[in-house]
Amino acid sequence: MLATAQQVTTESTQQAVGYPSLFLLVFIGALVPVVPTGALVSSAAVVAFHQTNPLSLLFVFVTASLAAFLGDLALYWLGRRGMGSRNGSKWLAAIRARAPEERLARAQAKLADHGVMVLVLSRLVPAGRIPVMLACLLARTGMRRFARGDAPACLAWAATYQVIGILGGSLFKEPWQGVVAAVALTVVISAAPGVWRRLRVRGGASDGKGSGQQHA
């Protein structure tokens, strides 16, 4: 009984500190897209998986999705203010800097075809959120319409990375081992699109050189 009581006390302390910290970090990560928020959610899910409270995973899901949603709305609102300002804003400049022309063009085409529901896919694709957000800003999409598309996007995003954490937690007995596995998997997922694009560019360049040599 003493061991059980100590475990419950430890879990209560972790929850009192962990949920506010998770909310704050995910919210900041939505505003400043350099924080690995997916890895944070997966790690929190691993810890929650090993706790005795059956609602721990639900609390992680609600906290992460709400923080991501509010962070997206805050960044979009700041971007709209920058669009309406003569001198722009540092937030709008940061959004533009993270949306290369090629990705922005694709995001604009998808937005025209599917509307704001393209936000759901953009949240699940690494580095896909910002180009779609900028496309919405350039299309003068209103806050309410943006929010309607972003809400299911944040729910799907939180669920996806929580599943990764649950898988990591179920494979290992120790929580820290599951955290390492979940973080490694999220890093691989995040890096995969960039590696694939580089390989395609190199492959295209090699084909171009080969064609040039044949013509010569």
Side-chain angles (χ1 to χ4, degrees):
M1 292 182 62
L2 180 60
T4 303
Q6 290 177 343
Q7 183 179 2
V8 171
T9 302
T10 301
E11 290 182 3
S12 299
T13 303
Q14 290 176 347
Q15 292 171 2
V17 175
Y19 295 136
S21 300
L22 177 64
F23 181 92
L24 182 61
L25 289 173
V26 172
F27 180 82
I28 293 174
L31 285 174
V32 185
V34 293
V35 179
T37 51
L40 291 172
V41 176
S42 297
S43 301
V46 171
V47 176
F49 180 82
H50 286 279
Q51 292 182 344
T52 57
N53 187 350
L55 296 178
S56 296
L57 287 171
L58 177 61
F59 292 155
V60 169
F61 174 74
V62 172
T63 301
S65 55
L66 180 61
F69 179 66
L70 294 178
D72 282 355
L73 289 188
L75 182 59
Y76 193 72
W77 179 77
L78 291 168
R80 278 171 57 88
R81 287 194 61 187
M83 292 289 292
S85 173
R86 290 183 178 180
N87 299 323
S89 70
K90 64 177 183 179
W91 295 102
L92 181 59
I95 294 173
R96 288 184 179 275
R98 291 187 172 275
E101 291 297 328
E102 181 183 353
R103 294 185 192 176
L104 176 59
R106 289 200 300 266
Q108 289 175 315
K110 291 179 180 178
L111 181 64
D113 293 338
H114 305 290
V116 292
M117 292 310 297
V118 73
L119 286 164
V120 177
L121 181 61
S122 74
R123 256 285 180 182
L124 299 178
V125 175
R129 178 175 67 103
I130 296 301
V132 174
M133 183 178 289
L134 180 56
C136 290
L137 287 170
L138 294 175
R140 304 290 179 177
T141 303
M143 283 291 298
R144 290 186 180 180
R145 190 180 177 206
F146 176 83
R148 285 197 299 270
D150 194 57
C154 292
L155 293 174
W157 170 83
T160 299
Y161 281 98
Q162 186 163 5
V163 168
I164 293 174
I166 292 173
L167 291 175
S170 63
L171 292 175
F172 300 96
K173 293 183 178 180
E174 296 295 331
W176 70 267
Q177 295 173 329
V179 169
V180 171
V183 170
L185 184 56
T186 54
V187 169
V188 169
I189 292 173
S190 300
V195 174
W196 175 248
R197 282 193 296 269
R198 290 179 184 178
L199 291 175
R200 287 183 61 186
V201 170
R202 290 181 181 178
S206 299
D207 292 342
K209 289 180 179 179
S211 300
Q213 292 174 355
Q214 290 178 0
H215 288 301

